[in-house]
Amino acid sequence: MKKIIFALLRYSGLPAFFREVFQRNSVSVLMFHDMDFKTAEMSFAYLSKHYNFISLEELIAAIQNTDGSNLPKKAMVITFDDGHIRNYELLPLFKKYKVPVTIFLCSGIIDTFKHYWFLEDLDKNTLRHLKSIPNEERISFLKARGFDAEEEHSDRQALSADQIDEMAAWVSMQSHTVSHPILSNCVDAESKWEIAESKSALEKKLKKPIKAIAYPNGSFTKREVNFAREAGYQCGLTVKPGFNSIRTDPFELKRLDPNDTSNINELIVKSSGIQSIFSFF
């Protein structure tokens, strides 16, 4: 049913309307996670024809200087969350389509054989439940199922140090906490440590300043914003749908989520930001 709705919305002209009216003089930030090569090729081929890619750093500079005169029309920032190992396969596409990508890394999982807790074999209801309970309860629940966040497995789910180093010339590596908890479900000390420690660990590992954090699952409160400011970040990214301008709070940047879709109609609709006014997405 949704495929039909996306097709109808695409050919209704609404995506083009949104591009020319709402996106023309704003900055859209897209969020991807673990796209395969074919899907990424389709996505970047379309997006490169209808938007102008800029880096996250360019957006932050414009906000800090309260000056968007150097930003192109229909500007778009491309981000990837988590640091999945398959992101490395997309490097040729980043180069081909000249995409200044930002990847948000979990400092305690990259360059290890540890696994992401949310990639465990969990049904949607269980995963939704785990994202709604206190962090301590989530950890206990997963341990009871046999998941140990510190366990090293035979397969790698996250990018290695060598892969990150090879991508560094084209990709800005930033913070996604240490272990990807739902920050708003953490006690104060946990939230503060996850935010600050990730920045510190990544700066030591990458030997570059870490300026941005993407809140895992987009879950944050004013507490997380304060912790991010205190840690020395310049911005924080949410999953609130919508568009950004030089007046947007840099610690509450909005993002659009195409859901790593391989459906061109869904990509066109979701990258236009239509979901910011429709609830069925």
Side-chain angles (χ1 to χ4, degrees), residues 15-125:
F17 174 78
F18 267 63
R19 279 200 309 272
E20 296 305 322
V21 176
F22 298 107
Q23 293 181 296
R24 185 173 183 79
N25 295 308
S26 61
V27 180
S28 304
V29 182
L30 260 57
M31 172 179 64
F32 296 105
H33 289 87
D34 191 23
M35 282 195 298
D36 60 59
F37 190 93
K38 183 178 179 181
T39 298
E41 175 91 64
M42 177 270 290
S43 300
F44 295 143
Y46 168 78
L47 295 171
S48 65
K49 290 178 181 177
H50 294 88
Y51 298 93
N52 294 298
F53 297 133
I54 65 168
S55 67
L56 178 61
E57 286 78 5
E58 289 176 280
L59 170 58
I60 296 309
I63 292 175
Q64 289 178 335
N65 298 325
T66 323
D67 181 7
S69 60
N70 290 325
L71 298 178
K73 300 297 183 183
K74 290 177 279 190
M76 177 169 282
V77 176
I78 301 296
T79 68
F80 283 75
D81 281 7
D82 308 325
H84 297 275
I85 192 168
R86 200 160 54 165
N87 292 168
Y88 174 72
E89 299 174 9
L90 307 185
L91 182 57
L93 296 179
F94 299 159
K95 295 178 180 180
K96 176 180 178 180
Y97 291 100
K98 297 180 173 58
V99 191
V101 171
T102 295
I103 297 180
F104 293 99
L105 306 172
C106 295
S107 65
I109 303 177
I110 56 149
D111 199 32
T112 73
F113 286 84
K114 297 175 186 177
H115 281 182
Y116 296 103
W117 67 267
F118 51 86
L119 292 183
E120 286 297 289
D121 186 19
L122 303 166
D123 61 68
K124 289 183 178 180
N125 288 333

Side-chain angles (χ1 to χ4, degrees), residues 224-252:
E224 279 66 48
V225 170
N226 290 335
F227 287 158
R229 289 183 187 276
E230 290 173 7
Y233 291 97
Q234 294 181 359
C235 68
L237 287 83
T238 75
V239 296
K240 290 181 179 178
F243 314 110
N244 302 285
S245 72
I246 59 173
R247 294 174 295 280
T248 302
D249 183 335
F251 285 89
E252 296 188 25

